[in-house]
Amino acid sequence: MAPALELLPKAEDIQALPSKAVNAISNAINGNGAVQFESAEKHQRVLNVFRAFIADLVQQYGDGHPGAPMGMAAIGIALWKYVMKYSPTNCNYFNRDRFVLSNGHACLWQYLFMHLVGVKSMTLDQLKSYHSTDPGSLCPGHPEIENEGVEVTTGPLGQGLANAVGLAMATKNLAATYNKPGHEVVNNMTWCMVGDACLQEGVGLEALSLAGHWRLNNLCVIFDNNNVTCDGTADVANTEDINTKMRATGFEVVDVYDGDSDVVAIVNALNSARHATKPTFINIRTTIGVGSKQAGTADAHGAALGVDEVAKIKRAFGLNPEEHFHIPQDVYDFFADVPSRGKTHEAEWHAAVAKYREAEPVLADEFDLRVAGKMPADWTKCIPAKEDLPTNPTASRKSAFVVTDKLGQNVKNFLVGTADLTPSVNVAYKNKVDFQSPDLKTVCGQTGNYAGRYIHYGIREHAMCSISNGLAAFNKGTFVPITSTYLVFHLYAAAAVRMAALQGLHQIHIATHDSIGVGENGPTHQPIAVPALYRAMPNMLFLRPCDAEETVGAYIAAIEHDTTPSVLALSRQNLTQFPEHSSREGVKKGAYVFVEEEDFDVTLMSVGSEMAYTMAARELLASEGIKARVLSFPCARLFEQQSREYKQSVLKSRAGKPAVAIEAYPSLGWERYADASISQNQWGKSLPCKEVYEHFGFSGPSIAEKVRGFVEEVKREGIESLRGDFRELNGGPSLGVEHPNVH
Amino acid sequence: MAPALELLPKAEDIQALPSKAVNAISNAINGNGAVQFESAEKHQRVLNVFRAFIADLVQQYGDGHPGAPMGMAAIGIALWKYVMKYSPTNCNYFNRDRFVLSNGHACLWQYLFMHLVGVKSMTLDQLKSYHSTDPGSLCPGHPEIENEGVEVTTGPLGQGLANAVGLAMATKNLAATYNKPGHEVVNNMTWCMVGDACLQEGVGLEALSLAGHWRLNNLCVIFDNNNVTCDGTADVANTEDINTKMRATGFEVVDVYDGDSDVVAIVNALNSARHATKPTFINIRTTIGVGSKQAGTADAHGAALGVDEVAKIKRAFGLNPEEHFHIPQDVYDFFADVPSRGKTHEAEWHAAVAKYREAEPVLADEFDLRVAGKMPADWTKCIPAKEDLPTNPTASRKSAFVVTDKLGQNVKNFLVGTADLTPSVNVAYKNKVDFQSPDLKTVCGQTGNYAGRYIHYGIREHAMCSISNGLAAFNKGTFVPITSTYLVFHLYAAAAVRMAALQGLHQIHIATHDSIGVGENGPTHQPIAVPALYRAMPNMLFLRPCDAEETVGAYIAAIEHDTTPSVLALSRQNLTQFPEHSSREGVKKGAYVFVEEEDFDVTLMSVGSEMAYTMAARELLASEGIKARVLSFPCARLFEQQSREYKQSVLKSRAGKPAVAIEAYPSLGWERYADASISQNQWGKSLPCKEVYEHFGFSGPSIAEKVRGFVEEVKREGIESLRGDFRELNGGPSLGVEHPNVH
């Protein structure tokens, strides 16, 4: 048991004492089981070997990042030898402490510690494959989730920090849901290493605000404060008072002044986080590239130090400059106790779960399912049948709610969040409980607790999606985050959603206020061009359903593709329902025949809110003797996964008849399936929904007129005239603006 | 002249006094020319009429945002009547104070004040066109730059705040460049209104850090602190100590406790910003929807208040509930002095410029050019001739530097910045001077001054691009911002770049480390899918040159399109030069014939770093008797602007021969011009540049083999077999991941 908090001196005060004098106090701070520190001399020996090895690794191919791994060596000893609870021989055991390297370019640091503590896959040869031509390397230039011992893929700065907030939330939510007095089956910490960049990037700042608000006292952010960025000293672009700022953001702040070598001070600071009532920010002063002539400068950041310099470093460290990639046995011995301690952690957890099963058999079964990353088998009961869907005009944001409501109420895997658009995005399921710190009740009257699964992210779309990556990465399937905002604000979040697609994380993004149909809010809120990004992105589903049935189909596809993030683009405005044409099975194939027509003159393909205009145009064309078949195209990516036979049966391209795509988004991509398009290749306008569509030529009559002209032209000139001459019936991609800035 | 700062009581302290007692002190604070306040009763009368009018406007069509405009009414009186220096009859006079409404949904507030102070275009009828079906409305749902009196288009939250930082920088830079002792030709303030959201959004937080770092004491951020967001009270997602955080970020902080009615207190607080040595943050407590039953709640935010409620409000305000859209003459009279004061500001500025011209004739000529938004006519001398370009393999990031270097040295319109990648992006022109506060020299040794034009944005891509929007919007052409970062990090900045394209702002984004060629940094840094976004975006040029000559052509296109932002996608790695094929004139047409071939078998089209592999494949194919012509395709958007004749002369689609596109990006969009593609439809890999290309099938032999197979198939099956059957020769768009998250 940890000692009572108020009896402990603050880690901050202890820093003032020489490290040898503080062991007794440290042992108190370090709580359950006093830490048995090795000598300062031994620590220095390990630091020297570690730093020389890093210098060797980067020198090998003359490229990489040596500075931060060398500077952070003492922090690494503190974490991997003394502080973190983990099991190097079973990196994925459920209740492990999570570690995130948000400054991912420092990955060699993590790789080398993984090797030293005995992660099996991280062999000496693997370490040496960093920056090599080996496509099977487990040591890529930034940490990747696929590899043993890596919790999340990091690299784009700030993302890892927000991911860590998600990982800490995951623990809080599970603990509040399943732990019972005397039975803690989830209680891991999340440790996140950051550099200057993560504290400058907006996504990091957003996530820190939330961590402070939520009082995530199981999160410890460790700042490698080396005061150096690529452009020079960090004060070239940053002179803020970070400690004061972090305190104002809701963090405990602890300083460590000698981060280059004072392992004991670092351990004390880190372990103080285990007793904090808030998240902890440890500000550790280090020297980038310490020991090299480039020490303390930007030159140490992203380039090899030089052959001679590496030799010099080794000599200064008392090592043999002729020996490369050398780890003496005594350094291995230093870490030798880690695997057995890891096995003890595992065994303790298994024992706790066994005891829990006796006390709470029902909850334990559910907990098992969560650990296995599974949903309850009857989740499909949350999906409404076609006959239960509305037939009157209904916005797809409302149609989606029918599913969200049931999932939110019944399936604990789903954490449903919004970037402050509860009144608009329709994700607030019945009887929702907010995810909040219970302390907030007295602070400001906010209700909720950590078992709550409705998340108010504030106006922070980027953090929302990046935190969701952390939630999804906690343990595959344990959480399936649902986010919500307007589609246009997904551009704020795109860098995070991209990381989900890259990592194969399962999550569902409810993106409402799709298309120019947004209306009066105007062009700033009309998400022109956003779909192109997600449609081009590998391992991403961008689904744009045309009515309630298709919306249900899109939701099913998003749930079933469990290594792919999905974006559901949903309308603000009411949509005509097509119960006789639309099909959830069709959605799962990406595109399908909506209305067949024998002996047709033209194929019209449409999607989302433009389907109603397309169907209206079909009627008008029919009255003029032009027969149009209609395809619905909610997701081109899914269509591309179908057989060539299926695709041809839908497209009928070889029938020698033209095809026109109709969508109020840029035409980019439609050229694959159509000969012409009626597209929105310019910015939108502030007008009510119906008028903005009409203004830009999206109405039954306007579409019919353009299609008629095109069909007649093709009849006149022959289908072959279309080759390499895609027609923009609504105006092509534009340059310039109507009223350039007049100031 | 303003009184000596140290003699003034702080606005903060004055707040404690009742407002009537502080007029004498206020007059001192308010500096040059004591403010003659009208009575508190008159203020209340104007507030009442203003708020009732807002309620009427939103009630008219039952939609819009009434709450913030009503809550901010007293702030508006302070700004438009007492504090801002501007000229309502000539909104664009050069030295005007800039005002930015970052909480753009509150636009009615700005529109109504513009009407009251006499902005001619803002008639009563115009006000009533808010949310109407009138496509010519000057009152769109968010403020738009095209309209008189609006400095920047705002809406996506946080953007306006960052824009305001750019506007304040613009003033600082011009002032430091042109003002001389006794001659101030530029000295305007920038006032920026923000709500809770702008202070939560990452882009806002990044920009605030920079404003504090740069000590932009001509910037005043005014916080409409109504403690309400869409989800409820702001503390549902935010409980930080904002004042302490802002002080730690480098701001002066001033509180106003009665923002609903104490106009005098607000004026004093605002005017204190004119004497600050730092940027100022005014924290003004207001009540959203004040006067209505929805006051102080989220219900007042984005919905009409109800017919009965509007009537009730009017009665409570002592107004006639039967009168709608009514502004009594005494309220017009209240603002009647504003236009003449505006004319005085203008006249004073013209007089100052005239005096300046006498004292500094050379600088004055240059200043005139800047005011006119022109570059020196000889800027074209900065563009190197083709014969001066390298012929040995050269990275395009280096080729671009030849232009950046000259522009940076010689043309003051260009402000060159980087998101902390000076060593990598090649934009640090010779003899650059950093844009910094001169105070930093003693604080931390950073050199530079406000006349400096090299900007260290820190690791803040989003703020960099959003601040650039402010710089570009200061006065058309006065500044042309150049930004730089890796292309992949443009996803962080995309929401800001989109706003530039929407507004027609001229700026150039140097986006290096294009494509999988990034190499060892791995898939997190390989910008798959990013080009699709910019290629789909209206009014955007995405240019991807293949060698130095094309890079120069791309730069020229970016400079010449002065109402369009451009992204130059440049390689990290060295590129083969093709002086006999590449052409800057070709780039300006978007695509052109790189190698012609009579009686060809296939057309290959390529772009950027893949051109070298394509040309190698062409050689291999030729040796096997397959004749391939080659097109270079640096910018599809420019190609689409060409005549149909030109396009057909390049594509030769009707020759009945197949065409293959070769680019290490997703195939999306190539279907317009090609029948097949060799694309990168999956995420990349951490490998050295050459190996990563090879790994994914980008090499001469691999391309030649795929093209050969395709050509043979087409010969066998006929060109018509390709219709509606686009071929992915390198694997199509993918779903799932190779190694799903194993945890």
Side-chain angles (χ1 to χ4, degrees):
Chain A
M1 287 291 288
L5 253 187
E6 62 273 16
L7 301 180
L8 290 176
K10 293 205 163 182
E12 248 176 306
D13 303 328
I14 302 172
Q15 300 306 316
L17 307 172
S19 52
K20 282 189 184 168
V22 301
N23 259 353
I25 307 172
S26 301
N27 289 343
I29 288 185
N30 293 317
N32 42 349
V35 178
Q36 299 300 322
F37 287 110
E38 301 256 4
S39 69
E41 293 68 29
K42 173 56 81 178
H43 289 157
Q44 196 55 52
R45 161 79 173 163
V46 177
L47 289 170
N48 291 345
V49 169
F50 186 95
R51 287 170 175 148
F53 198 96
I54 295 287
D56 269 345
L57 278 174
V58 177
Q59 198 58 50
Q60 185 184 203
Y61 296 107
D63 195 26
H65 291 89
M70 292 169 78
M72 287 154 52
I75 302 173
I77 293 176
L79 281 168
W80 264 282
K81 162 81 180 176
Y82 292 114
V83 173
M84 287 202 291
K85 294 187 181 175
Y86 67 109
S87 180
T89 55
N90 179 15
C91 288
N92 295 336
Y93 107 86
F94 192 78
N95 197 35
R96 68 191 179 275
D97 282 0
R98 265 64 175 178
F99 174 78
V100 176
L101 186 71
S102 192
N103 50 344
H105 54 272
C107 55
L108 269 185
W109 175 84
Q110 181 169 0
Y111 300 155
L112 183 48
F113 276 112
M114 281 163 59
H115 171 75
L116 292 171
V117 299
V119 174
K120 281 282 176 300
S121 55
M122 194 52 76
T123 61
L124 261 187
D125 280 348
Q126 274 298 341
L127 285 172
K128 286 155 72 177
S129 72
Y130 174 77
H131 275 223
S132 77
T133 60
D134 174 10
S137 170
L138 299 178
C139 294
H142 290 83
E144 297 184 1
I145 192 172
E146 294 83 358
N147 299 332
E148 192 179 4
V150 176
E151 301 291 354
V152 282
T153 300
T154 56
L157 295 164
Q159 296 294 334
L161 174 50
N163 298 165
V165 173
L167 289 165
M169 282 176 76
T171 299
K172 280 283 179 202
N173 181 260
L174 288 174
T177 306
Y178 297 105
N179 287 354
K180 295 290 163 192
H183 294 281
E184 293 212 347
V185 288
V186 188
N187 59 10
N188 68 292
M189 288 285 294
T190 295
W191 309 95
C192 180
M193 196 78 227
V194 301
D196 283 287
C198 299
L199 301 175
Q200 291 186 22
E201 289 284 5
V203 64
L205 299 174
E206 290 178 9
L208 289 169
S209 288
L210 284 169
H213 172 74
W214 287 324
R215 304 186 173 211
L216 299 177
N217 66 341
N218 59 341
L219 172 69
C220 180
V221 175
I222 310 163
F223 177 25
D224 175 36
N225 185 353
N226 61 27
N227 195 32
V228 168
T229 68
C230 291
D231 275 15
T233 51
D235 52 27
V236 73
N238 204 50
T239 39
E240 67 194 10
D241 173 354
I242 184 68
N243 282 3
T244 302
K245 187 174 167 185
M246 290 303 299
R247 283 194 192 95
T249 307
F251 276 67
E252 286 288 353
V253 174
V254 181
D255 285 297
V256 174
Y257 297 100
D258 173 13
D260 288 340
S261 58
D262 193 346
V263 173
V264 174
I266 299 170
V267 171
N268 289 342
L270 292 170
N271 274 339
S272 77
R274 293 191 183 272
H275 311 300
T277 57
K278 305 173 179 178
T280 299
F281 178 77
I282 319 253
N283 185 342
I284 308 185
R285 279 67 167 187
T286 67
T287 308
I288 192 169
V290 62
S292 71
K293 73 174 180 204
Q294 295 95 331
T297 75
D299 292 339
H301 170 76
L305 302 170
V307 175
D308 293 348
E309 185 57 26
V310 174
K312 230 175 90 184
I313 291 166
K314 288 186 191 165
R315 273 192 293 270
F317 284 168
L319 302 172
N320 180 353
E322 304 303 319
E323 277 182 330
H324 297 286
F325 308 110
H326 183 57
I327 298 171
Q329 189 55 43
D330 66 302
V331 172
Y332 282 121
D333 292 346
F334 176 80
F335 292 100
D337 63 326
V338 176
S340 65
R341 280 197 285 126
K343 287 201 183 300
T344 305
H345 294 314
E346 283 190 80
E348 285 170 356
W349 180 68
H350 283 293
V353 173
K355 226 178 88 197
Y356 179 70
R357 192 179 318 280
E358 282 170 29
E360 302 280 349
V362 178
L363 267 183
D365 282 352
E366 188 180 292
F367 181 68
D368 282 352
L369 214 59
R370 299 294 296 279
V371 171
K374 290 182 183 153
M375 290 186 220
D378 60 354
W379 71 267
T380 52
K381 289 188 187 158
C382 298
I383 308 297
K386 186 166 185 176
E387 52 270 26
D388 295 334
L389 295 176
T391 53
N392 55 323
T394 307
S396 48
R397 60 174 167 154
K398 289 185 183 160
S399 306
F401 177 66
V402 179
V403 182
T404 310
D405 189 29
K406 288 281 192 292
L407 293 176
Q409 288 184 61
N410 298 301
V411 186
K412 292 185 186 166
N413 306 59
F414 290 97
L415 293 192
V416 180
T418 180
D420 194 53
L421 284 169
T422 295
S424 309
V425 289
N426 299 85
V427 298
Y429 56 89
K430 196 176 164 192
N431 299 325
K432 75 175 175 64
V433 174
D434 289 352
F435 178 90
Q436 295 284 11
S437 162
D439 296 354
L440 285 189
K441 185 84 173 85
T442 48
V443 173
C444 60
Q446 289 294 338
T447 57
N449 59 62
Y450 289 129
R453 289 181 294 105
Y454 191 81
I455 309 171
H456 296 279
Y457 286 101
I459 304 103
R460 305 180 181 101
E461 299 80 8
H462 199 171
M464 172 173 71
C465 292
S466 192
I467 287 172
S468 293
N469 293 351
L471 288 168
F474 181 82
N475 182 67
K476 182 170 158 42
T478 300
F479 293 100
V480 182
I482 295 177
T483 77
S484 65
T485 185
Y486 295 171
L487 178 54
V488 74
F489 300 138
H490 252 276
L491 217 45
Y492 277 67
V497 180
R498 171 183 180 269
M499 291 302 290
L502 177 61
Q503 295 177 77
L505 299 177
H506 192 200
Q507 52 191 222
I508 300 171
H509 301 288
I510 302 289
T512 69
H513 293 58
D514 161 72
S515 163
I516 51 173
V518 170
E520 299 89 340
N521 269 333
T524 63
H525 282 52
Q526 295 164 4
I528 315 289
V530 179
L533 173 68
Y534 287 125
R535 285 172 174 165
M537 198 174 274
N539 191 32
M540 167 63 64
L541 285 184
F542 181 83
L543 296 136
R544 194 168 175 245
C546 79
D547 73 354
E549 170 68 2
E550 283 201 357
T551 302
V552 169
Y555 225 129
I556 297 171
I559 295 172
E560 290 184 346
H561 283 84
D562 66 358
T563 59
T564 300
S566 296
V567 173
L568 272 61
L570 304 173
S571 76
R572 173 191 188 221
Q573 74 272 28
N574 282 336
L575 301 180
T576 307
Q577 302 298 304
F578 297 100
E580 292 174 21
H581 304 288
S582 62
S583 150
R584 63 188 69 190
E585 291 306 315
V587 175
K588 289 163 82 173
K589 290 179 178 166
Y592 63 103
V593 178
F594 207 67
V595 186
E596 194 48 284
E597 185 77 70
E598 294 303 307
D599 194 24
F600 62 97
D601 297 293
V602 63
T603 296
L604 304 180
M605 48 190 81
S606 193
V607 50
S609 44
E610 288 78 71
M611 180 57 86
Y613 301 115
T614 303
M615 290 293 277
R618 183 187 120 84
E619 293 287 308
L620 290 169
L621 289 166
S623 71
E624 299 168 17
I626 297 173
K627 290 186 182 174
R629 62 197 288 270
V630 178
L631 310 181
S632 180
F633 236 104
C635 182
R637 177 64 47 84
L638 287 173
F639 187 59
E640 284 304 306
Q641 314 307 309
Q642 309 307 314
S643 68
R644 180 175 283 188
E645 291 65 36
Y646 177 75
K647 288 197 266 184
Q648 285 300 334
S649 76
V650 172
L651 296 172
K652 295 196 175 169
S653 307
R654 300 195 188 169
K657 299 295 162 60
V660 181
I662 296 145
E663 186 179 33
Y665 278 116
S667 42
L668 192 86
W670 280 113
E671 306 94 331
R672 183 178 288 245
Y673 309 113
D675 304 293
S677 83
I678 295 172
S679 298
Q680 178 73 22
N681 282 313
Q682 55 181 308
W683 295 111
K685 200 162 180 60
S686 174
L687 281 172
C689 175
K690 182 167 168 285
E691 282 75 14
V692 72
Y693 274 116
E694 274 182 10
H695 183 83
F696 289 110
F698 292 93
S699 68
S702 177
I703 292 169
E705 187 187 333
K706 286 165 196 151
V707 170
R708 187 194 316 115
F710 179 63
V711 168
E712 284 165 4
E713 186 190 331
V714 175
K715 276 187 183 155
R716 218 164 41 235
E717 302 192 7
I719 189 83
E720 63 283 358
S721 73
L722 297 174
R723 196 176 143 71
D725 192 15
F726 187 81
R727 304 295 168 85
E728 299 278 9
L729 306 182
N730 212 22
S734 61
L735 267 189
V737 283
E738 230 177 296
H739 309 285
N741 174 1
V742 288
H743 308 323
Chain B
M1 287 288 287
L5 253 187
E6 61 274 16
L7 299 179
L8 291 176
K10 293 205 165 183
E12 247 176 307
D13 302 328
I14 302 172
Q15 301 306 317
L17 305 174
S19 53
K20 282 190 183 165
V22 300
N23 257 354
I25 306 171
S26 299
N27 289 342
I29 288 184
N30 293 319
N32 43 349
V35 177
Q36 299 299 321
F37 286 110
E38 301 255 5
S39 69
E41 292 69 28
K42 173 58 82 178
H43 289 158
Q44 196 55 52
R45 160 81 173 163
V46 177
L47 289 170
N48 292 345
V49 170
F50 186 95
R51 287 171 176 148
F53 198 97
I54 295 286
D56 269 345
L57 279 174
V58 177
Q59 198 56 50
Q60 184 183 202
Y61 297 106
D63 195 26
H65 290 88
M70 292 170 77
M72 288 155 49
I75 302 173
I77 293 177
L79 282 168
W80 263 281
K81 163 82 181 176
Y82 293 115
V83 172
M84 287 202 292
K85 294 187 181 174
Y86 67 110
S87 181
T89 55
N90 179 15
C91 288
N92 295 336
Y93 107 85
F94 192 76
N95 196 35
R96 68 190 178 278
D97 282 0
R98 265 64 175 178
F99 174 77
V100 176
L101 186 72
S102 192
N103 50 344
H105 54 272
C107 55
L108 269 185
W109 176 84
Q110 182 169 0
Y111 300 155
L112 183 48
F113 276 112
M114 282 163 59
H115 171 74
L116 292 171
V117 301
V119 173
K120 281 282 177 299
S121 55
M122 194 53 75
T123 62
L124 262 187
D125 280 347
Q126 274 298 339
L127 284 173
K128 286 155 69 178
S129 72
Y130 173 77
H131 274 224
S132 77
T133 60
D134 174 11
S137 169
L138 300 178
C139 294
H142 290 83
E144 297 183 2
I145 192 171
E146 295 83 357
N147 299 333
E148 193 179 2
V150 177
E151 301 291 353
V152 283
T153 301
T154 56
L157 295 163
Q159 296 295 333
L161 174 50
N163 298 165
V165 173
L167 289 165
M169 283 176 75
T171 300
K172 280 283 180 200
N173 181 260
L174 287 174
T177 306
Y178 296 106
N179 287 355
K180 295 290 165 193
H183 294 281
E184 292 213 347
V185 289
V186 189
N187 59 10
N188 69 291
M189 287 287 292
T190 295
W191 309 94
C192 180
M193 196 79 227
V194 301
D196 283 287
C198 299
L199 302 176
Q200 291 187 24
E201 289 284 5
V203 63
L205 299 174
E206 290 178 9
L208 289 170
S209 287
L210 283 168
H213 172 74
W214 287 324
R215 303 185 173 212
L216 299 176
N217 66 342
N218 57 342
L219 172 69
C220 179
V221 175
I222 310 162
F223 177 25
D224 174 34
N225 186 353
N226 60 26
N227 196 31
V228 168
T229 68
C230 291
D231 274 16
T233 51
D235 51 28
V236 73
N238 202 49
T239 40
E240 66 193 12
D241 174 355
I242 183 69
N243 282 1
T244 302
K245 188 175 168 185
M246 290 304 299
R247 284 194 190 95
T249 307
F251 277 67
E252 286 288 355
V253 174
V254 182
D255 285 298
V256 174
Y257 297 99
D258 173 12
D260 287 341
S261 58
D262 194 346
V263 173
V264 174
I266 300 170
V267 171
N268 289 344
L270 292 170
N271 272 339
S272 77
R274 292 190 183 274
H275 312 300
T277 56
K278 305 173 179 178
T280 300
F281 178 77
I282 319 255
N283 185 342
I284 308 186
R285 279 69 167 184
T286 67
T287 308
I288 192 168
V290 62
S292 70
K293 74 174 178 201
Q294 296 94 331
T297 75
D299 293 339
H301 170 77
L305 302 170
V307 174
D308 294 347
E309 185 58 27
V310 173
K312 227 174 92 184
I313 291 167
K314 287 185 192 166
R315 273 193 294 269
F317 284 169
L319 303 171
N320 179 354
E322 305 302 317
E323 278 183 329
H324 298 285
F325 309 112
H326 183 58
I327 298 170
Q329 188 55 43
D330 67 302
V331 172
Y332 282 121
D333 292 345
F334 176 80
F335 292 101
D337 63 325
V338 176
S340 65
R341 280 196 284 124
K343 288 203 181 302
T344 306
H345 294 315
E346 283 190 79
E348 284 171 357
W349 180 68
H350 283 293
V353 173
K355 227 179 88 198
Y356 179 70
R357 192 178 319 281
E358 282 171 27
E360 301 281 348
V362 177
L363 267 184
D365 281 351
E366 189 180 291
F367 182 69
D368 283 351
L369 214 59
R370 298 296 295 280
V371 172
K374 291 182 181 153
M375 290 185 219
D378 60 354
W379 72 266
T380 51
K381 287 189 186 156
C382 297
I383 308 296
K386 186 166 186 176
E387 53 270 26
D388 295 334
L389 296 175
T391 53
N392 56 324
T394 308
S396 48
R397 61 175 167 153
K398 289 186 183 159
S399 306
F401 177 67
V402 179
V403 182
T404 310
D405 188 29
K406 288 281 193 293
L407 292 176
Q409 287 184 61
N410 298 301
V411 185
K412 291 184 188 168
N413 307 57
F414 290 98
L415 293 192
V416 180
T418 181
D420 195 54
L421 284 170
T422 295
S424 309
V425 288
N426 299 85
V427 297
Y429 55 89
K430 195 175 164 192
N431 299 325
K432 76 174 174 65
V433 175
D434 289 352
F435 178 90
Q436 295 285 10
S437 161
D439 295 354
L440 284 189
K441 185 85 173 86
T442 47
V443 173
C444 60
Q446 288 295 337
T447 58
N449 58 62
Y450 289 129
R453 291 181 293 102
Y454 191 81
I455 308 171
H456 297 278
Y457 286 101
I459 303 102
R460 305 179 181 101
E461 299 80 8
H462 199 172
M464 172 172 72
C465 292
S466 192
I467 288 172
S468 293
N469 292 351
L471 289 167
F474 181 82
N475 182 68
K476 182 170 157 44
T478 300
F479 292 100
V480 182
I482 295 177
T483 78
S484 64
T485 185
Y486 294 171
L487 179 54
V488 75
F489 300 137
H490 252 276
L491 217 44
Y492 278 67
V497 179
R498 171 181 179 271
M499 291 302 291
L502 178 61
Q503 295 178 76
L505 299 176
H506 192 200
Q507 52 191 224
I508 300 170
H509 300 287
I510 301 290
T512 69
H513 293 57
D514 162 72
S515 165
I516 52 172
V518 169
E520 298 89 339
N521 270 333
T524 63
H525 281 51
Q526 295 164 3
I528 315 288
V530 180
L533 173 68
Y534 287 126
R535 284 171 174 166
M537 198 175 272
N539 192 32
M540 167 63 64
L541 286 183
F542 181 81
L543 296 135
R544 193 167 176 245
C546 79
D547 72 353
E549 169 69 0
E550 283 202 355
T551 302
V552 169
Y555 226 131
I556 296 171
I559 295 172
E560 291 184 345
H561 283 84
D562 66 0
T563 59
T564 300
S566 296
V567 172
L568 273 61
L570 304 173
S571 75
R572 173 191 188 221
Q573 74 271 28
N574 283 337
L575 301 180
T576 308
Q577 302 297 305
F578 296 100
E580 292 174 22
H581 303 287
S582 62
S583 149
R584 63 188 69 189
E585 292 305 317
V587 175
K588 289 163 81 173
K589 291 178 178 164
Y592 61 104
V593 179
F594 207 68
V595 186
E596 196 45 285
E597 184 78 68
E598 293 305 307
D599 195 23
F600 62 98
D601 297 293
V602 63
T603 296
L604 304 180
M605 47 190 82
S606 193
V607 48
S609 43
E610 288 78 72
M611 181 57 87
Y613 301 116
T614 303
M615 291 291 277
R618 183 188 119 85
E619 294 286 310
L620 290 169
L621 289 165
S623 72
E624 298 168 18
I626 297 173
K627 290 185 181 174
R629 62 197 287 271
V630 177
L631 311 181
S632 180
F633 236 103
C635 182
R637 177 65 48 86
L638 287 173
F639 187 60
E640 284 303 305
Q641 313 307 308
Q642 308 307 314
S643 68
R644 180 175 281 189
E645 290 67 36
Y646 177 75
K647 287 197 267 186
Q648 285 300 335
S649 77
V650 171
L651 295 172
K652 294 195 176 169
S653 307
R654 303 198 185 166
K657 298 295 164 60
V660 181
I662 296 145
E663 186 179 32
Y665 278 117
S667 41
L668 192 86
W670 281 113
E671 306 94 333
R672 184 179 286 246
Y673 309 112
D675 305 293
S677 82
I678 295 171
S679 298
Q680 177 74 22
N681 282 314
Q682 56 181 308
W683 295 111
K685 202 164 179 58
S686 174
L687 280 172
C689 176
K690 182 166 168 287
E691 282 75 14
V692 72
Y693 274 116
E694 274 181 10
H695 182 82
F696 288 111
F698 293 94
S699 68
S702 177
I703 292 169
E705 188 187 333
K706 287 165 196 150
V707 170
R708 187 194 317 112
F710 179 63
V711 168
E712 283 165 5
E713 187 190 331
V714 175
K715 275 189 184 156
R716 215 162 46 232
E717 303 193 6
I719 189 82
E720 62 282 359
S721 72
L722 298 174
R723 196 175 143 70
D725 192 15
F726 187 81
R727 306 294 170 85
E728 299 278 9
L729 307 183
N730 212 22
S734 60
L735 268 190
V737 285
E738 231 176 296
H739 308 286
N741 175 1
V742 287
H743 310 321

